[in-house]
Amino acid sequence: MSENTYQSPNKKGKIVIFLSGRGSNFLAIHDAILAGTINAEIALVFSNKKEAKGLQVAKERNLETLHLNPKNFDSREDYERAIIKELKKRDIDLICLAGYMKILSPLLCTEFLNKIINIHPALLPSFPGLHVQQSAIDWGVQFSGATVHFVTPDVDMGPIILQAVVPVLQDDTEDTLSERILKEEHKIYPESIKLYFEGKLLIKGRRVFFV
Ligand code: GRF
């Protein structure tokens, strides 16, 4: 199979945010858009959870929101087919996963190849998966951080866009480390989207080059 090569577009982008929880990364992205830092608009905030706080905040910010309940669909693929239909309707250029707690199937990953990014609270490829801040403490690593990466069907393993490093302190708890990492997430996620719509990200295989 030939190596995946893709250059991000230089255009005003239409973004959808996928979230399942409080949505602080979504807010950091929206704030950067409002400040004129990112050349994009949020066309939709989508959630699998009706009660997600981020969905509520999106409504307060007068953004279009959509909730689809996975339980109303026979399979993950059917669920994603319904999502894809909604995204196509709105000409979405980029899906930003921001605390979206459902694993995407290859269907959505393929349909939006090179057009889905995620933020993860660790320095990938170390500590993929869940509860990674506690794992970093348990392993005694001295540095952790955050990673923004493209999404492929291999969970947390897509090409890395930006990373930020934070120290892990001797007396850190899951909460204190998460908070330190989150501050960095709020910087590198908007920065990654900015670069994306400046046409500056070139994916070659598993690497991202800045052009
Ligand atoms: C963040 O820690 C992010 O790295 C992870 O989920 C959390 C979402 O937080 N993927 P928030 O909803 O953006 O505040």
Side-chain angles (χ1 to χ4, degrees):
M1 214 174 88
S2 65
E3 186 181 76
N4 175 35
T5 302
Y6 178 81
Q7 181 160 359
S8 66
N10 187 347
K11 65 182 285 197
K12 179 161 186 204
K14 285 181 118 186
I15 296 176
V16 59
I17 306 276
F18 279 29
L19 52 76
S20 306
R22 70 192 158 182
S24 72
N25 277 289
F26 147 58
L27 288 184
I29 294 165
H30 192 223
D31 286 346
I33 288 174
L34 293 177
T37 313
I38 301 174
N39 187 22
E41 62 169 295
I42 296 179
L44 183 66
V45 178
F46 171 78
S47 185
N48 59 325
K49 297 264 180 216
K50 196 170 181 208
E51 66 285 0
K53 185 166 171 243
L55 214 50
Q56 191 52 48
V57 179
K59 283 181 194 147
E60 285 161 19
R61 290 191 170 206
N62 291 318
L63 293 169
E64 193 188 351
T65 60
L66 176 69
H67 158 68
L68 291 176
N69 188 345
K71 290 194 181 123
N72 294 340
F73 296 83
D74 290 337
S75 66
R76 186 166 57 149
E77 284 72 21
D78 278 355
Y79 183 59
E80 290 187 354
R81 268 187 275 275
I83 297 174
I84 289 168
K85 212 168 137 194
E86 295 292 340
L87 303 188
K88 296 261 164 183
K89 254 194 239 169
R90 294 167 179 85
D91 277 329
I92 294 296
D93 297 300
L94 183 69
I95 301 174
C96 300
L97 307 183
Y100 185 63
M101 299 306 283
K102 255 183 97 60
I103 291 175
L104 303 187
S105 86
L107 182 81
L108 188 51
C109 293
T110 308
E111 186 72 41
F112 280 82
L113 180 66
N114 305 315
K115 295 175 181 169
I116 313 176
I117 60 177
N118 180 43
I119 180 102
H120 182 77
L123 294 175
L124 292 172
S126 291
F127 302 114
L130 295 174
H131 309 295
V132 296
Q133 297 95 334
Q134 186 60 52
S135 299
I137 292 169
D138 294 344
W139 272 93
V141 295
Q142 295 176 0
F143 297 94
S144 187
T147 304
V148 180
H149 63 94
F150 284 97
V151 173
T152 60
D154 291 334
V155 178
D156 294 334
M157 288 298 149
I160 289 169
I161 303 172
L162 289 179
Q163 293 188 304
V165 179
V166 306
V168 180
L169 307 179
Q170 297 265 310
D171 57 355
D172 261 334
T173 62
E174 187 176 11
D175 284 349
T176 58
L177 179 58
S178 300
E179 200 180 315
R180 193 174 309 119
I181 292 173
L182 196 63
K183 277 198 189 125
E184 300 304 317
E185 294 184 30
H186 295 165
K187 293 179 202 159
I188 63 170
Y189 209 175
E191 179 63 21
S192 300
I193 300 169
K194 173 178 182 281
L195 292 169
Y196 188 95
F197 288 115
E198 286 173 348
K200 288 187 178 158
L201 302 182
L202 175 64
I203 306 175
K204 280 188 175 185
R206 79 149 25 270
R207 291 184 64 188
V208 176
F209 295 85
F210 301 94
V211 292

